[in-house]
Amino acid sequence: MLRFACIAFLMLACEFAIGQDKVSPIVSYDITCTFQLTFYPDSTSTIPKTESFFLFINQEQSLFKSQNRYLQDSAISASSDRADRHNLIAFLQQHRTDFDFNIVKHGCNAIQTTDRVYHDYFSYTETQGHLQWALTPDTKTIAGYPAQRATTEFGGRTWEAWFTEAVPVSEGPYKFCGLPGLIIRLTDAKKQYDFVLNGLKQSRREMRDTTPLNVTKTDKRTFFRKRDEYRANPIGVAEQSGVVFTSGRSEVAQRVQQKIKSDNNPIEFFIH
């Protein structure tokens, strides 16, 4: 997203931080997994990007989010007053992420995603049984763990997962789960998205719930429709939310549309 949108969001994030109730629930996790994602946001480009993710797991739920989103949320939660505003904006700018979602799984049939369209947050749940796995006899060692291969279809892509029963939790990156062990590598058939486990630590970690207070509950179809509406008319959406262009509106619109055009390959497509 271009500068005007980034700055607008960062300013709103600061307002959210200052006005947020500081006594938010604390959740304890027993396992922290780190994944490295290599991905191609532009399907016409041969230059990949990388981003790190955390998967936090306890006996009742898991939380999946990008490392930079985790750092952003931690900084926002720790912000105490308006005097912190300048430092907070600088920190958020240094830790930008291409993935704003938080994904909480209470088992594989109760998955809730919180995500953002421009500066509005929405949450939706996945349809039960969204993953139908086919196990194969293929095995190999990944990240030091014995792993078995499985495949599934989800979000307009065919996915290959390698899971290990050496870590007996039915979890994995993004919205993937439901196998008899931790998914330690996950790749789509076109190799445009590739998650690889690069760290696993079993120790207790306490975290505050940093879910924004101003979240609109919706369904998945509505969320993807709103995302498409923003991509079709980002300047209009920005103006409706209060952004005023005193000059250069057409130039900004052209740059924003060019940016959106190069961001044409999301991890998930909504299948109507």
Side-chain angles (χ1 to χ4, degrees):
M1 190 176 294
L2 289 186
R3 183 176 179 80
F4 88 91
C6 291
I7 296 299
F9 168 63
L10 294 172
M11 296 286 284
L12 287 163
C14 289
E15 293 298 331
F16 162 73
I18 294 164
Q20 164 118 303
D21 180 3
K22 294 299 177 181
V23 185
S24 55
I26 294 177
V27 181
S28 296
Y29 293 97
D30 306 311
I31 300 174
T32 301
C33 302
T34 306
F35 287 87
Q36 181 83 2
L37 171 64
T38 302
F39 66 107
Y40 294 83
D42 183 354
S43 62
T44 66
S45 174
T46 59
I47 302 174
K49 297 181 70 174
T50 60
E51 190 157 346
S52 295
F53 288 79
F54 288 136
L55 174 63
F56 304 105
I57 305 170
N58 64 25
Q59 292 184 348
E60 299 178 353
Q61 69 177 53
S62 70
L63 169 64
F64 185 74
K65 62 169 60 179
S66 73
Q67 183 180 51
N68 278 347
R69 182 59 200 265
Y70 169 80
L71 293 172
Q72 288 179 357
D73 288 345
S74 298
I76 290 172
S77 179
S79 179
S80 59
D81 53 41
R82 294 182 184 277
D84 292 339
R85 182 168 173 163
H86 178 76
N87 291 335
L88 179 56
I89 289 178
F91 184 87
L92 297 178
Q93 287 178 319
Q94 292 170 4
H95 296 85
R96 294 176 183 171
T97 177
D98 285 311
F99 303 92
D100 284 304
F101 54 68
N102 284 358
I103 299 172
V104 176
K105 305 188 193 91
H106 293 275
C108 210
N109 286 322
I111 300 176
Q112 181 172 340
T113 300
T114 302
D115 206 346
R116 181 171 62 88
V117 176
Y118 190 47
H119 61 67
D120 294 323
Y121 283 93
F122 300 88
S123 68
Y124 63 88
T125 58
E126 291 296 322
T127 303
Q128 291 191 11
H130 69 292
L131 297 173
Q132 300 295 321
W133 291 105
L135 273 62
T136 77
D138 303 331
T139 61
K140 66 179 178 180
T141 300
I142 298 176
Y145 294 96
Q148 183 177 348
R149 178 175 172 269
T151 61
T152 192
E153 305 280 337
F154 177 71
R157 297 180 184 273
T158 299
W159 294 90
E160 175 186 86
W162 292 87
F163 67 94
T164 180
E165 295 186 36
V167 185
V169 293
S170 185
E171 276 292 348
Y174 195 53
K175 301 174 182 179
F176 291 85
C177 50
L179 289 169
L182 178 68
I183 297 171
I184 58 177
R185 184 161 193 173
L186 178 71
T187 312
D188 76 298
K190 295 182 178 180
K191 302 189 184 305
Q192 295 173 337
Y193 283 83
D194 183 19
F195 291 95
V196 180
L197 179 75
N198 62 6
L200 188 154
K201 186 175 183 180
Q202 298 191 49
S203 63
R204 189 176 184 84
R205 172 181 285 203
E206 294 187 342
M207 296 169 47
R208 288 202 176 274
D209 181 358
T210 56
T211 303
L213 299 179
N214 55 337
V215 175
T216 300
K217 291 186 178 180
T218 188
D219 57 77
K220 188 172 182 178
R221 179 186 297 273
T222 300
F223 172 79
F224 276 76
R225 176 176 57 79
K226 288 184 175 295
R227 189 185 71 175
D228 291 343
E229 289 172 352
Y230 170 74
R231 291 177 61 85
N233 185 24
I235 300 300
V237 172
E239 290 176 328
Q240 289 173 11
S241 69
V243 174
V244 177
F245 297 92
T246 57
S247 63
R249 184 186 186 279
S250 60
E251 180 184 351
V252 172
Q254 184 177 5
R255 286 186 293 155
V256 171
Q257 291 292 355
Q258 184 61 40
K259 173 64 176 175
I260 289 176
K261 184 178 179 181
S262 66
D263 185 24
N264 55 54
N265 192 33
I267 187 172
E268 180 181 350
F269 298 92
F270 183 70
I271 308 301
H272 298 276

